Amino acid sequence: HVQLVESGGGSVQAGGSLSLSCASSGYTFYLMAWFRQAPGKEREGVAAIYLGSGTTHYADSVKGRFTISQDNEKNTVYLQMNSLKPEDTATYRCAAASGPYYRAAKDYNYWGQGTQVTVS
């Protein structure tokens, strides 16, 4: 039974930091990522990491502020978010894929339940 369990998130003032975690179980994935969606906006890929190589990709909107990382022993992927802005406010969901394509949500097989990040 595959599960992605997220934790972290919450409310913070602009300029602050938050960290999200996504623990996976039941399968060894090739690629994991964080997506976000704000009310009235399209879902956006924020960051992705290839679990074998550690190669990462970031949306331009978060480059230099967010860092995606992994702990293979814990089967957990993290998203460290620094210098947060009000426009980062969204529901963040982790996603996992068995294939190599990181850009589109449709290429991810499993999703976490989502965690709210609010920046004021």
Side-chain angles (χ1 to χ4, degrees):
H1 179 61
V2 176
Q3 276 192 310
L4 300 179
V5 180
E6 299 156 352
S7 59
S11 297
V12 67
Q13 291 189 337
S17 298
L18 285 172
S19 180
L20 306 180
S21 300
C22 177
S24 65
S25 61
Y27 189 80
T28 301
F29 294 103
Y30 184 74
L31 166 66
M32 292 186 70
W34 289 94
F35 285 76
R36 68 184 181 186
Q37 188 167 20
K41 294 188 177 181
E42 293 187 357
R43 181 166 43 191
E44 175 189 23
V46 174
I49 184 166
Y50 288 89
L51 300 181
S53 66
T55 300
T56 57
H57 296 276
Y58 295 94
D60 288 343
S61 57
V62 306
K63 278 181 182 176
R65 301 188 298 122
F66 290 13
T67 302
I68 188 170
S69 62
Q70 60 180 328
D71 184 332
N72 289 336
E73 289 189 1
K74 295 181 180 179
N75 294 321
T76 299
V77 170
Y78 305 94
L79 185 68
Q80 178 64 40
M81 305 182 291
N82 298 329
S83 302
L84 283 161
K85 304 175 181 180
E87 50 263 45
D88 294 319
T89 296
T91 299
Y92 286 70
R93 297 179 73 185
C94 70
S98 53
Y101 305 109
Y102 73 91
R103 293 186 183 275
K106 68 179 181 62
D107 291 320
Y108 290 82
N109 309 101
Y110 295 95
W111 292 82
Q113 76 280 8
T115 186
Q116 180 66 33
V117 170
T118 302
V119 185
S120 60

